[in-house]
Amino acid sequence: MRTIIKLAFTLLSFLVPFCVFAQDSFSALNGIPGGQVKSIQFDAAGQVYIVEDFQQKIYRSSDNGNTWTQFGPANASVYDFLIDGSDLYYS
């Protein structure tokens, strides 16, 4: 019986810190409507581009992800894309 209690205490001592510190670790992004990121690209100027799966649009951030603006084709559903210099390729 003492072995079971020791084992339970040992397991809890490892699990509790992860549960406590896992809270409040995410924050909302400005400008992206929701969903998951399907693809991510970086250009030579340091801008970040993503495709999200909710509206299937490309979004661009030039301030390390603090704000996002829609980029690229407005009336197309984008599944994947490639930035090559100043050229945008998407499907």
Side-chain angles (χ1 to χ4, degrees):
M1 181 70 171
R2 291 182 77 152
T3 305
I4 293 174
I5 293 172
K6 286 181 183 178
L7 180 61
F9 180 74
T10 303
L11 288 174
L12 285 175
S13 66
F14 285 110
L15 295 177
V16 169
F18 292 111
C19 296
V20 171
F21 294 118
Q23 298 173 4
D24 300 325
S25 60
F26 294 99
S27 59
L29 300 175
N30 298 322
I32 299 175
Q36 298 178 357
V37 173
K38 291 173 32 175
S39 183
I40 186 167
Q41 297 279 326
F42 301 89
D43 69 8
Q47 298 185 92
V48 183
Y49 300 83
I50 65 164
V51 173
E52 53 80 29
D53 70 349
F54 181 68
Q55 293 182 347
Q56 298 174 337
K57 303 293 181 198
I58 300 174
Y59 289 86
R60 174 177 57 189
S61 175
S62 57
D63 58 4
N64 295 320
N66 289 320
T67 58
W68 295 89
T69 55
Q70 188 173 335
F71 176 79
N75 297 325
S77 293
V78 178
Y79 299 97
D80 202 359
F81 71 108
L82 173 68
I83 302 290
D84 184 20
S86 62
D87 297 327
L88 168 67
Y89 303 95
Y90 64 93
S91 62

mmCIF file with all atom_site columns, all heavy atoms in Angstrom, residues 59-75:
data_model
loop_
_atom_site.group_PDB
_atom_site.id
_atom_site.type_symbol
_atom_site.label_atom_id
_atom_site.label_alt_id
_atom_site.label_comp_id
_atom_site.label_asym_id
_atom_site.label_entity_id
_atom_site.label_seq_id
_atom_site.pdbx_PDB_ins_code
_atom_site.Cartn_x
_atom_site.Cartn_y
_atom_site.Cartn_z
_atom_site.occupancy
_atom_site.B_iso_or_equiv
_atom_site.pdbx_formal_charge
_atom_site.auth_seq_id
_atom_site.auth_comp_id
_atom_site.auth_asym_id
_atom_site.auth_atom_id
_atom_site.pdbx_PDB_model_num
ATOM 1   N N   . TYR A 1 59 ? -2.694  35.584 -45.309 1.00 0.00 ? 59 TYR A N   1
ATOM 2   C CA  . TYR A 1 59 ? -2.519  36.749 -44.455 1.00 0.00 ? 59 TYR A CA  1
ATOM 3   C C   . TYR A 1 59 ? -1.036  37.032 -44.323 1.00 0.00 ? 59 TYR A C   1
ATOM 4   O O   . TYR A 1 59 ? -0.209  36.117 -44.326 1.00 0.00 ? 59 TYR A O   1
ATOM 5   C CB  . TYR A 1 59 ? -3.133  36.522 -43.070 1.00 0.00 ? 59 TYR A CB  1
ATOM 6   C CG  . TYR A 1 59 ? -4.631  36.503 -43.123 1.00 0.00 ? 59 TYR A CG  1
ATOM 7   C CD1 . TYR A 1 59 ? -5.313  35.338 -43.413 1.00 0.00 ? 59 TYR A CD1 1
ATOM 8   C CD2 . TYR A 1 59 ? -5.361  37.662 -42.916 1.00 0.00 ? 59 TYR A CD2 1
ATOM 9   C CE1 . TYR A 1 59 ? -6.694  35.321 -43.493 1.00 0.00 ? 59 TYR A CE1 1
ATOM 10  C CE2 . TYR A 1 59 ? -6.746  37.653 -42.984 1.00 0.00 ? 59 TYR A CE2 1
ATOM 11  C CZ  . TYR A 1 59 ? -7.403  36.484 -43.279 1.00 0.00 ? 59 TYR A CZ  1
ATOM 12  O OH  . TYR A 1 59 ? -8.767  36.472 -43.358 1.00 0.00 ? 59 TYR A OH  1
ATOM 13  N N   . ARG A 1 60 ? -0.705  38.337 -44.183 1.00 0.00 ? 60 ARG A N   1
ATOM 14  C CA  . ARG A 1 60 ? 0.687   38.766 -44.100 1.00 0.00 ? 60 ARG A CA  1
ATOM 15  C C   . ARG A 1 60 ? 0.900   39.586 -42.831 1.00 0.00 ? 60 ARG A C   1
ATOM 16  O O   . ARG A 1 60 ? 0.045   40.374 -42.441 1.00 0.00 ? 60 ARG A O   1
ATOM 17  C CB  . ARG A 1 60 ? 1.040   39.617 -45.312 1.00 0.00 ? 60 ARG A CB  1
ATOM 18  C CG  . ARG A 1 60 ? 2.418   40.231 -45.236 1.00 0.00 ? 60 ARG A CG  1
ATOM 19  C CD  . ARG A 1 60 ? 2.787   41.000 -46.464 1.00 0.00 ? 60 ARG A CD  1
ATOM 20  N NE  . ARG A 1 60 ? 1.822   42.048 -46.728 1.00 0.00 ? 60 ARG A NE  1
ATOM 21  C CZ  . ARG A 1 60 ? 1.786   42.768 -47.830 1.00 0.00 ? 60 ARG A CZ  1
ATOM 22  N NH1 . ARG A 1 60 ? 2.641   42.538 -48.789 1.00 0.00 ? 60 ARG A NH1 1
ATOM 23  N NH2 . ARG A 1 60 ? 0.890   43.706 -48.001 1.00 0.00 ? 60 ARG A NH2 1
ATOM 24  N N   . SER A 1 61 ? 2.051   39.392 -42.208 1.00 0.00 ? 61 SER A N   1
ATOM 25  C CA  . SER A 1 61 ? 2.448   40.184 -41.051 1.00 0.00 ? 61 SER A CA  1
ATOM 26  C C   . SER A 1 61 ? 3.851   40.717 -41.285 1.00 0.00 ? 61 SER A C   1
ATOM 27  O O   . SER A 1 61 ? 4.750   39.972 -41.648 1.00 0.00 ? 61 SER A O   1
ATOM 28  C CB  . SER A 1 61 ? 2.432   39.352 -39.768 1.00 0.00 ? 61 SER A CB  1
ATOM 29  O OG  . SER A 1 61 ? 2.927   40.121 -38.689 1.00 0.00 ? 61 SER A OG  1
ATOM 30  N N   . SER A 1 62 ? 4.018   42.011 -41.072 1.00 0.00 ? 62 SER A N   1
ATOM 31  C CA  . SER A 1 62 ? 5.343   42.616 -41.197 1.00 0.00 ? 62 SER A CA  1
ATOM 32  C C   . SER A 1 62 ? 5.893   43.044 -39.838 1.00 0.00 ? 62 SER A C   1
ATOM 33  O O   . SER A 1 62 ? 6.923   43.704 -39.767 1.00 0.00 ? 62 SER A O   1
ATOM 34  C CB  . SER A 1 62 ? 5.291   43.813 -42.156 1.00 0.00 ? 62 SER A CB  1
ATOM 35  O OG  . SER A 1 62 ? 4.342   44.751 -41.697 1.00 0.00 ? 62 SER A OG  1
ATOM 36  N N   . ASP A 1 63 ? 5.179   42.667 -38.755 1.00 0.00 ? 63 ASP A N   1
ATOM 37  C CA  . ASP A 1 63 ? 5.623   43.045 -37.408 1.00 0.00 ? 63 ASP A CA  1
ATOM 38  C C   . ASP A 1 63 ? 5.691   41.830 -36.480 1.00 0.00 ? 63 ASP A C   1
ATOM 39  O O   . ASP A 1 63 ? 5.259   41.881 -35.341 1.00 0.00 ? 63 ASP A O   1
ATOM 40  C CB  . ASP A 1 63 ? 4.731   44.129 -36.823 1.00 0.00 ? 63 ASP A CB  1
ATOM 41  C CG  . ASP A 1 63 ? 3.272   43.714 -36.748 1.00 0.00 ? 63 ASP A CG  1
ATOM 42  O OD1 . ASP A 1 63 ? 2.943   42.546 -37.071 1.00 0.00 ? 63 ASP A OD1 1
ATOM 43  O OD2 . ASP A 1 63 ? 2.452   44.551 -36.357 1.00 0.00 ? 63 ASP A OD2 1
ATOM 44  N N   . ASN A 1 64 ? 6.238   40.734 -37.019 1.00 0.00 ? 64 ASN A N   1
ATOM 45  C CA  . ASN A 1 64 ? 6.443   39.497 -36.238 1.00 0.00 ? 64 ASN A CA  1
ATOM 46  C C   . ASN A 1 64 ? 5.153   38.893 -35.699 1.00 0.00 ? 64 ASN A C   1
ATOM 47  O O   . ASN A 1 64 ? 5.143   38.298 -34.628 1.00 0.00 ? 64 ASN A O   1
ATOM 48  C CB  . ASN A 1 64 ? 7.427   39.736 -35.095 1.00 0.00 ? 64 ASN A CB  1
ATOM 49  C CG  . ASN A 1 64 ? 8.802   40.077 -35.590 1.00 0.00 ? 64 ASN A CG  1
ATOM 50  O OD1 . ASN A 1 64 ? 9.265   39.501 -36.564 1.00 0.00 ? 64 ASN A OD1 1
ATOM 51  N ND2 . ASN A 1 64 ? 9.451   41.022 -34.941 1.00 0.00 ? 64 ASN A ND2 1
ATOM 52  N N   . GLY A 1 65 ? 4.058   39.040 -36.411 1.00 0.00 ? 65 GLY A N   1
ATOM 53  C CA  . GLY A 1 65 ? 2.807   38.393 -36.021 1.00 0.00 ? 65 GLY A CA  1
ATOM 54  C C   . GLY A 1 65 ? 1.934   39.183 -35.078 1.00 0.00 ? 65 GLY A C   1
ATOM 55  O O   . GLY A 1 65 ? 0.902   38.684 -34.634 1.00 0.00 ? 65 GLY A O   1
ATOM 56  N N   . ASN A 1 66 ? 2.280   40.420 -34.770 1.00 0.00 ? 66 ASN A N   1
ATOM 57  C CA  . ASN A 1 66 ? 1.418   41.220 -33.896 1.00 0.00 ? 66 ASN A CA  1
ATOM 58  C C   . ASN A 1 66 ? 0.129   41.627 -34.588 1.00 0.00 ? 66 ASN A C   1
ATOM 59  O O   . ASN A 1 66 ? -0.931  41.649 -33.973 1.00 0.00 ? 66 ASN A O   1
ATOM 60  C CB  . ASN A 1 66 ? 2.155   42.470 -33.397 1.00 0.00 ? 66 ASN A CB  1
ATOM 61  C CG  . ASN A 1 66 ? 3.236   42.106 -32.405 1.00 0.00 ? 66 ASN A CG  1
ATOM 62  O OD1 . ASN A 1 66 ? 3.049   41.232 -31.571 1.00 0.00 ? 66 ASN A OD1 1
ATOM 63  N ND2 . ASN A 1 66 ? 4.370   42.769 -32.497 1.00 0.00 ? 66 ASN A ND2 1
ATOM 64  N N   . THR A 1 67 ? 0.201   41.968 -35.880 1.00 0.00 ? 67 THR A N   1
ATOM 65  C CA  . THR A 1 67 ? -0.990  42.289 -36.663 1.00 0.00 ? 67 THR A CA  1
ATOM 66  C C   . THR A 1 67 ? -0.911  41.556 -37.993 1.00 0.00 ? 67 THR A C   1
ATOM 67  O O   . THR A 1 67 ? 0.177   41.250 -38.490 1.00 0.00 ? 67 THR A O   1
ATOM 68  C CB  . THR A 1 67 ? -1.112  43.814 -36.919 1.00 0.00 ? 67 THR A CB  1
ATOM 69  O OG1 . THR A 1 67 ? 0.067   44.263 -37.597 1.00 0.00 ? 67 THR A OG1 1
ATOM 70  C CG2 . THR A 1 67 ? -1.292  44.578 -35.617 1.00 0.00 ? 67 THR A CG2 1
ATOM 71  N N   . TRP A 1 68 ? -2.076  41.278 -38.558 1.00 0.00 ? 68 TRP A N   1
ATOM 72  C CA  . TRP A 1 68 ? -2.172  40.534 -39.813 1.00 0.00 ? 68 TRP A CA  1
ATOM 73  C C   . TRP A 1 68 ? -3.131  41.250 -40.746 1.00 0.00 ? 68 TRP A C   1
ATOM 74  O O   . TRP A 1 68 ? -4.157  41.771 -40.320 1.00 0.00 ? 68 TRP A O   1
ATOM 75  C CB  . TRP A 1 68 ? -2.692  39.116 -39.562 1.00 0.00 ? 68 TRP A CB  1
ATOM 76  C CG  . TRP A 1 68 ? -1.762  38.290 -38.754 1.00 0.00 ? 68 TRP A CG  1
ATOM 77  C CD1 . TRP A 1 68 ? -1.733  38.188 -37.390 1.00 0.00 ? 68 TRP A CD1 1
ATOM 78  C CD2 . TRP A 1 68 ? -0.713  37.466 -39.235 1.00 0.00 ? 68 TRP A CD2 1
ATOM 79  N NE1 . TRP A 1 68 ? -0.732  37.348 -36.992 1.00 0.00 ? 68 TRP A NE1 1
ATOM 80  C CE2 . TRP A 1 68 ? -0.083  36.879 -38.112 1.00 0.00 ? 68 TRP A CE2 1
ATOM 81  C CE3 . TRP A 1 68 ? -0.236  37.148 -40.500 1.00 0.00 ? 68 TRP A CE3 1
ATOM 82  C CZ2 . TRP A 1 68 ? 0.982   36.001 -38.218 1.00 0.00 ? 68 TRP A CZ2 1
ATOM 83  C CZ3 . TRP A 1 68 ? 0.830   36.269 -40.610 1.00 0.00 ? 68 TRP A CZ3 1
ATOM 84  C CH2 . TRP A 1 68 ? 1.422   35.710 -39.485 1.00 0.00 ? 68 TRP A CH2 1
ATOM 85  N N   . THR A 1 69 ? -2.814  41.253 -42.049 1.00 0.00 ? 69 THR A N   1
ATOM 86  C CA  . THR A 1 69 ? -3.708  41.792 -43.071 1.00 0.00 ? 69 THR A CA  1
ATOM 87  C C   . THR A 1 69 ? -3.859  40.746 -44.164 1.00 0.00 ? 69 THR A C   1
ATOM 88  O O   . THR A 1 69 ? -2.929  39.996 -44.452 1.00 0.00 ? 69 THR A O   1
ATOM 89  C CB  . THR A 1 69 ? -3.156  43.093 -43.689 1.00 0.00 ? 69 THR A CB  1
ATOM 90  O OG1 . THR A 1 69 ? -1.843  42.862 -44.189 1.00 0.00 ? 69 THR A OG1 1
ATOM 91  C CG2 . THR A 1 69 ? -3.121  44.209 -42.661 1.00 0.00 ? 69 THR A CG2 1
ATOM 92  N N   . GLN A 1 70 ? -5.059  40.730 -44.781 1.00 0.00 ? 70 GLN A N   1
ATOM 93  C CA  . GLN A 1 70 ? -5.291  39.784 -45.873 1.00 0.00 ? 70 GLN A CA  1
ATOM 94  C C   . GLN A 1 70 ? -4.423  40.184 -47.052 1.00 0.00 ? 70 GLN A C   1
ATOM 95  O O   . GLN A 1 70 ? -4.244  41.359 -47.353 1.00 0.00 ? 70 GLN A O   1
ATOM 96  C CB  . GLN A 1 70 ? -6.760  39.761 -46.266 1.00 0.00 ? 70 GLN A CB  1
ATOM 97  C CG  . GLN A 1 70 ? -7.058  38.651 -47.248 1.00 0.00 ? 70 GLN A CG  1
ATOM 98  C CD  . GLN A 1 70 ? -8.543  38.510 -47.517 1.00 0.00 ? 70 GLN A CD  1
ATOM 99  O OE1 . GLN A 1 70 ? -9.373  38.872 -46.713 1.00 0.00 ? 70 GLN A OE1 1
ATOM 100 N NE2 . GLN A 1 70 ? -8.859  37.969 -48.666 1.00 0.00 ? 70 GLN A NE2 1
ATOM 101 N N   . PHE A 1 71 ? -3.878  39.197 -47.729 1.00 0.00 ? 71 PHE A N   1
ATOM 102 C CA  . PHE A 1 71 ? -2.936  39.415 -48.820 1.00 0.00 ? 71 PHE A CA  1
ATOM 103 C C   . PHE A 1 71 ? -3.277  38.457 -49.945 1.00 0.00 ? 71 PHE A C   1
ATOM 104 O O   . PHE A 1 71 ? -3.718  37.339 -49.703 1.00 0.00 ? 71 PHE A O   1
ATOM 105 C CB  . PHE A 1 71 ? -1.509  39.148 -48.300 1.00 0.00 ? 71 PHE A CB  1
ATOM 106 C CG  . PHE A 1 71 ? -0.449  39.257 -49.349 1.00 0.00 ? 71 PHE A CG  1
ATOM 107 C CD1 . PHE A 1 71 ? 0.008   40.496 -49.747 1.00 0.00 ? 71 PHE A CD1 1
ATOM 108 C CD2 . PHE A 1 71 ? 0.104   38.125 -49.919 1.00 0.00 ? 71 PHE A CD2 1
ATOM 109 C CE1 . PHE A 1 71 ? 0.999   40.605 -50.708 1.00 0.00 ? 71 PHE A CE1 1
ATOM 110 C CE2 . PHE A 1 71 ? 1.094   38.218 -50.875 1.00 0.00 ? 71 PHE A CE2 1
ATOM 111 C CZ  . PHE A 1 71 ? 1.543   39.468 -51.260 1.00 0.00 ? 71 PHE A CZ  1
ATOM 112 N N   . GLY A 1 72 ? -3.052  38.887 -51.169 1.00 0.00 ? 72 GLY A N   1
ATOM 113 C CA  . GLY A 1 72 ? -3.244  37.988 -52.299 1.00 0.00 ? 72 GLY A CA  1
ATOM 114 C C   . GLY A 1 72 ? -4.660  38.018 -52.843 1.00 0.00 ? 72 GLY A C   1
ATOM 115 O O   . GLY A 1 72 ? -5.389  38.990 -52.659 1.00 0.00 ? 72 GLY A O   1
ATOM 116 N N   . PRO A 1 73 ? -5.071  36.940 -53.511 1.00 0.00 ? 73 PRO A N   1
ATOM 117 C CA  . PRO A 1 73 ? -6.358  36.913 -54.202 1.00 0.00 ? 73 PRO A CA  1
ATOM 118 C C   . PRO A 1 73 ? -7.532  36.992 -53.222 1.00 0.00 ? 73 PRO A C   1
ATOM 119 O O   . PRO A 1 73 ? -7.618  36.225 -52.274 1.00 0.00 ? 73 PRO A O   1
ATOM 120 C CB  . PRO A 1 73 ? -6.348  35.571 -54.940 1.00 0.00 ? 73 PRO A CB  1
ATOM 121 C CG  . PRO A 1 73 ? -5.404  34.727 -54.152 1.00 0.00 ? 73 PRO A CG  1
ATOM 122 C CD  . PRO A 1 73 ? -4.365  35.660 -53.608 1.00 0.00 ? 73 PRO A CD  1
ATOM 123 N N   . ALA A 1 74 ? -8.434  37.946 -53.470 1.00 0.00 ? 74 ALA A N   1
ATOM 124 C CA  . ALA A 1 74 ? -9.559  38.167 -52.550 1.00 0.00 ? 74 ALA A CA  1
ATOM 125 C C   . ALA A 1 74 ? -10.682 37.157 -52.749 1.00 0.00 ? 74 ALA A C   1
ATOM 126 O O   . ALA A 1 74 ? -11.373 36.814 -51.790 1.00 0.00 ? 74 ALA A O   1
ATOM 127 C CB  . ALA A 1 74 ? -10.094 39.579 -52.729 1.00 0.00 ? 74 ALA A CB  1
ATOM 128 N N   . ASN A 1 75 ? -10.891 36.697 -53.975 1.00 0.00 ? 75 ASN A N   1
ATOM 129 C CA  . ASN A 1 75 ? -12.055 35.843 -54.266 1.00 0.00 ? 75 ASN A CA  1
ATOM 130 C C   . ASN A 1 75 ? -11.700 34.388 -54.516 1.00 0.00 ? 75 ASN A C   1
ATOM 131 O O   . ASN A 1 75 ? -12.490 33.657 -55.092 1.00 0.00 ? 75 ASN A O   1
ATOM 132 C CB  . ASN A 1 75 ? -12.810 36.400 -55.472 1.00 0.00 ? 75 ASN A CB  1
ATOM 133 C CG  . ASN A 1 75 ? -13.367 37.780 -55.193 1.00 0.00 ? 75 ASN A CG  1
ATOM 134 O OD1 . ASN A 1 75 ? -13.772 38.058 -54.065 1.00 0.00 ? 75 ASN A OD1 1
ATOM 135 N ND2 . ASN A 1 75 ? -13.371 38.644 -56.186 1.00 0.00 ? 75 ASN A ND2 1
#
